[in-house]
Amino acid sequence: MRPIPPTAPSLPPRLCVGVLSGTSVDAAEAALCRVEGTGADVTLQLLAHVSRPFAPDLIARVLGPQDARSLCALNFELGEQFAEAVLAVLARAGVAPGDVHVVGSHGQTMAHLPADLSSTPSTLQLGEASVIAERTGLPVVSDFRTRDMAVGGQGAPLVPYLDWAVFRNRERPDATRAFLNLGGIGNLSVVGSRMEDTLAFDTGPANMVLDGLARRMTDGRLGCDRDGSLSSRGRVLPALLEELLAHPFLARPPPRSAGREGFGEALVERIWAAAPERPHDLMATARAFTVEATARAFETWVYPRFPHLEAVYASGGGTRNPALMEDLRARLAPVPLERLDVLGFPEEAKEAALFALLAAEHRAGTPANVCPATGARRRVVLGKLTP
């Protein structure tokens, strides 16, 4: 393992771009950030953010059945999409590509198989880094999950490094903050002053099941439970909810990570088959599933260890569903649930900013996996560089 570099003053500010498409598969997100320092002394400032929605046809192909030929084509097509997002965020900020230090691309996850799901732990993200490098003229760091898995980790979650490095309460070292991301999959981080005390894991479904049901009941016209409008018209089906809450993933102790393998189309099909004539009730039940799975994760794994949380700061697409947020706020009380924006950082840019930070740390030679979160045997430098 390469040694951790010297502290912040030896590393000047660098302009870095992070780009990704999350488990909701709705857009290419890019963030331009100014990163200064490294490790415990790192700071990050968001300069610009763009979201470029994917065409419905591309979404359908990412979510549909795959073979080697389709994966091969998608890899290059997604690379073009991410390159366009990088150039778009630079144009928005008025920054020339030649002024940028590095691009960090997470890509689009197609499969994520940690040790509890496969005898050969593995992960696959698409979005060819060579295409991004050629279109932008910039070095690209990609494949952030694989090195952590090579040292026995789950390869996820990666966001705890950002939560600790950027969002911990530096003014009150004794304070503990929780960060909840409501993407396709829900994940949370609990951070204090020391990285080694971090608790982080995937909670289970956030929007993934809701999105899948919304596409089914509207014949693809809607890809999400927009503003909670679909789920709010139904009633929870108690027996189905209890069946969903018996999902074996929810009983696993951290470290743990989830994906479409557990909460994707197969589960959506099972839920739909339970009562296809009652689609709004299925949506209401799926929303309750997300809320209860998340709340039980806090009750089982977080509160016993961190009984005095400052607050829970939420990000991700789920924060734009007021019904989901209202339910979560009531269920997590008396701990306050706030949007990340109250800390002065736009929640919609958080995940893209993560990969700007991870790319900067790769170039600095700084390990950026959080072992208590992933279960890795040791800290390692994440990612692969495409010059």
Side-chain angles (χ1 to χ4, degrees):
M1 182 176 69
R2 283 181 269 181
I4 296 177
T7 54
S10 64
L11 284 175
R14 294 93 74 203
L15 296 181
C16 306
V17 178
V19 63
L20 84 155
S21 170
T23 49
S24 294
V25 197
D26 51 3
E29 307 278 344
L32 173 66
C33 302
R34 178 181 287 110
V35 181
E36 185 170 359
T38 187
D41 299 305
V42 76
T43 61
L44 179 145
Q45 178 187 6
L46 178 69
L47 302 179
H49 168 254
V50 298
S51 178
R52 293 174 58 88
F54 286 155
D57 173 66
L58 177 59
I59 296 172
R61 284 184 287 119
V62 170
L63 296 177
Q66 305 292 343
D67 58 21
R69 289 177 64 90
S70 62
L71 288 172
C72 185
L74 275 173
N75 186 39
F76 276 65
E77 185 174 354
L78 287 165
E80 299 283 1
Q81 295 282 332
F82 295 139
E84 290 176 8
V86 171
L87 294 174
V89 79
L90 295 182
R92 174 164 294 183
V95 170
D99 294 330
V100 174
H101 178 62
V102 68
V103 173
S105 174
H106 172 266
Q108 172 66 60
T109 295
M110 303 300 294
H112 184 70
L113 302 170
D116 53 3
L117 292 181
S118 174
S119 59
T120 305
S122 56
T123 188
L124 178 64
Q125 285 75 42
L126 298 187
E128 180 53 50
S130 295
V131 172
I132 303 172
E134 279 298 317
R135 301 297 177 265
T136 64
L138 294 169
V140 178
V141 179
S142 59
D143 272 339
F144 290 97
R145 299 186 184 278
T146 52
R147 185 65 182 274
D148 182 82
M149 296 187 84
V151 291
Q154 300 240 337
L158 297 177
V159 74
Y161 187 76
L162 177 77
D163 290 334
W164 173 79
V166 176
F167 297 123
R168 72 184 186 273
N169 192 332
R170 296 181 187 235
E171 296 178 359
R172 286 185 49 213
D174 60 327
T176 304
R177 292 172 167 176
F179 296 91
L180 176 63
N181 182 62
L182 298 168
I185 293 295
N187 58 71
L188 66 86
S189 309
V190 185
V191 302
S193 60
R194 303 192 323 153
M195 181 193 287
E196 55 266 37
D197 295 332
T198 298
L199 173 66
F201 58 95
D202 286 356
T203 58
N207 301 308
M208 186 172 287
V209 177
L210 283 164
D211 292 352
L213 290 172
R215 283 190 291 268
R216 278 178 177 259
M217 70 180 294
T218 66
D219 293 322
R221 292 189 303 276
L222 290 179
C224 65
D225 181 25
R226 186 172 296 165
D227 298 325
S229 59
L230 300 178
S231 60
S232 294
R233 292 170 60 187
R235 295 184 178 182
V236 173
L237 303 175
L240 178 59
L241 176 59
E242 286 307 308
E243 179 185 336
L244 293 172
L245 289 169
H247 194 296
F249 176 84
L250 303 182
R252 291 181 196 143
R256 68 187 197 191
S257 57
R260 294 194 173 278
E261 294 74 21
F263 298 102
E265 191 58 28
L267 181 60
V268 170
E269 172 65 35
R270 202 175 99 206
I271 295 171
W272 186 260
E277 74 285 0
R278 302 173 67 179
H280 292 99
D281 291 348
L282 295 180
M283 290 291 296
T285 304
R287 190 176 92 200
F289 180 31
T290 289
V291 171
E292 194 62 23
T294 303
R296 292 187 185 187
F298 274 90
E299 292 166 350
T300 304
W301 311 113
V302 177
Y303 295 155
R305 184 171 162 188
F306 302 99
H308 304 295
L309 290 177
E310 172 188 303
V312 178
Y313 298 96
S315 59
T319 64
R320 294 182 282 282
N321 183 331
L324 178 63
M325 287 293 286
E326 181 180 347
D327 289 351
L328 277 171
R329 190 168 282 116
R331 191 63 178 79
L332 295 176
V335 178
L337 174 65
E338 307 282 359
R339 282 169 58 108
L340 183 68
D341 304 59
V342 302
L343 296 181
F345 196 98
E347 60 80 18
E348 65 271 15
K350 180 183 177 183
E351 284 197 297
L354 164 65
F355 294 101
L357 175 61
L358 293 183
E361 295 293 54
H362 175 97
R363 297 299 301 272
T366 300
N369 59 330
V370 180
C371 295
T374 68
R377 293 187 295 273
R378 61 187 179 89
R379 297 191 63 206
V380 289
V381 177
L382 301 178
K384 304 171 186 174
L385 177 64
T386 301

